[in-house]
Amino acid sequence: MAASDPQRALTEHGRVEVKSMLTLLRDEPLDGILASPYRRAQQTAELVSQGLSHSRGVATAAWLTPDDDPRQALDFLAERRERNVLLVSHQPLVSQLISLLVEGHKRGHYPMPTAGLACIDVDFPAAGIGQLGLLSSPSELSA
């Protein structure tokens, strides 16, 4: 058992779920993978990177932890050069970030279970301009 939430490891069930979601990412041209510094997020990102043969590896983003501000995440994303980026993070940040990108505020609710995947199309990471293209979970794939 982990001493704290940041140290908690990805479970075997979580590994299976992550691997099942790879089918949705196979045709996505990823320029980068950014992960929270939390252990399970790092493990998830590594599984995705290996499963997709992503040659650039995983970068750690300290601003992707559960309690970080989604507006600050947008600011950091705006500074990056990659166009197609996979973020590996946690709730509630993920739900708030989706809401901010798509609705222009962070009050919307987007359920994101373990290994859930949201694809958002934006020309530039800014509030309210994103188009939610996909919101999926491992349970939907097995149904």
Side-chain angles (χ1 to χ4, degrees):
M1 177 175 256
S4 67
D5 190 40
Q7 296 170 339
R8 201 161 41 99
L10 188 62
T11 65
E12 187 56 39
H13 179 71
R15 289 178 184 283
V16 169
E17 288 184 324
V18 169
K19 289 177 183 178
S20 75
M21 296 301 283
L22 289 175
T23 59
L24 297 175
L25 292 171
R26 292 252 183 254
D27 296 327
E28 294 297 322
L30 290 181
D31 298 323
I33 299 174
L34 301 176
S36 155
Y38 282 29
R39 184 176 178 198
R40 65 188 177 279
Q42 291 286 315
Q43 292 170 328
T44 298
E46 283 299 326
L47 278 174
V48 171
S49 180
Q50 292 168 5
L52 298 178
S53 300
H54 182 71
S55 61
R56 295 184 182 144
V58 175
T60 300
W63 42 268
L64 279 176
T65 65
D67 297 320
D68 281 314
D69 184 344
R71 288 181 177 88
Q72 186 179 29
L74 288 186
D75 291 342
F76 283 114
L77 287 169
E79 295 173 4
R80 301 201 60 96
R81 293 185 177 171
E82 302 98 341
R83 301 242 333 130
N84 299 303
V85 180
L86 176 68
L87 304 179
V88 181
S89 188
H90 320 267
Q91 288 288 44
L93 176 65
V94 172
S95 185
Q96 292 173 352
L97 185 56
I98 294 169
S99 179
L100 184 60
L101 282 166
V102 174
E103 299 178 19
H105 57 78
K106 61 180 188 173
R107 297 179 306 275
H109 178 69
Y110 292 87
M112 290 297 294
T114 303
L117 179 66
C119 294
I120 303 170
D121 294 322
V122 293
D123 290 328
F124 182 79
I129 65 167
Q131 296 292 317
L132 184 61
L134 173 73
L135 185 61
S136 187
S137 70
S139 64
E140 292 171 341
L141 289 181
S142 62

